Amino acid sequence: MATTSAPTSFILYGIKNCDTVKKARRWLEENGVNYQFHDYRVEGLDGALLQNLLDKQGWEAMLNTRGTTWRKLDETTRAACNNEASAKAVMLEQPAVIKRPFLLAAEGQSLLGFKPEIYQQFLAQVK
């Protein structure tokens, strides 16, 4: 007898070795949430997909200025990240500078970052 899997309800974007992404993945799995993981360092991130994410959260929220990737950028590049177009260009070139994880529901709702209580509320609203 063939088993059918439930459709993927969510896509979790991030980098697999990020501790926060690991926590989010573990939480989703422990709570039986069907999701697909997209590692944008490995699988890439095209401009249209990034624009979709930016439209949902805004470039300021998506730009991780606290991480090592940001700190390794030269001062000129960091200073130039003062609008969506320049931030998007840096994000496409250096995807590790994108705040993570980013959870996207099939219906289009999104959540940036990870806190178990926020994920619980988000899942209750989406379902």
Side-chain angles (χ1 to χ4, degrees), residues 34-108:
N34 190 22
Y35 75 97
Q36 174 187 346
F37 179 63
H38 182 104
D39 185 332
Y40 46 72
R41 182 178 278 164
V42 174
E43 299 174 55
L45 198 59
D46 67 40
L49 174 58
L50 180 56
Q51 188 61 55
N52 181 30
L53 302 178
L54 291 169
D55 290 345
K56 294 184 180 317
Q57 294 292 328
W59 70 270
E60 295 98 334
M62 295 288 298
L63 187 64
N64 181 5
T65 59
R66 301 178 82 195
T68 56
T69 303
W70 176 258
R71 290 192 301 267
K72 288 180 181 178
L73 295 174
D74 63 77
E75 186 59 39
T76 305
T77 302
R78 288 194 307 250
C81 280
N82 59 7
N83 60 52
E84 183 175 300
S86 59
K88 181 179 175 182
V90 170
M91 290 178 197
L92 285 171
E93 186 176 315
Q94 299 282 336
V97 80
I98 300 170
K99 188 172 180 183
R100 52 197 180 266
F102 187 90
L103 186 63
L104 182 62
E107 298 82 15

Side-chain angles (χ1 to χ4, degrees), residues 113-126:
F114 173 71
K115 289 188 179 175
E117 60 277 7
I118 304 293
Y119 266 47
Q120 191 69 47
Q121 291 172 357
F122 180 71
L123 293 177
Q125 291 173 354
V126 170

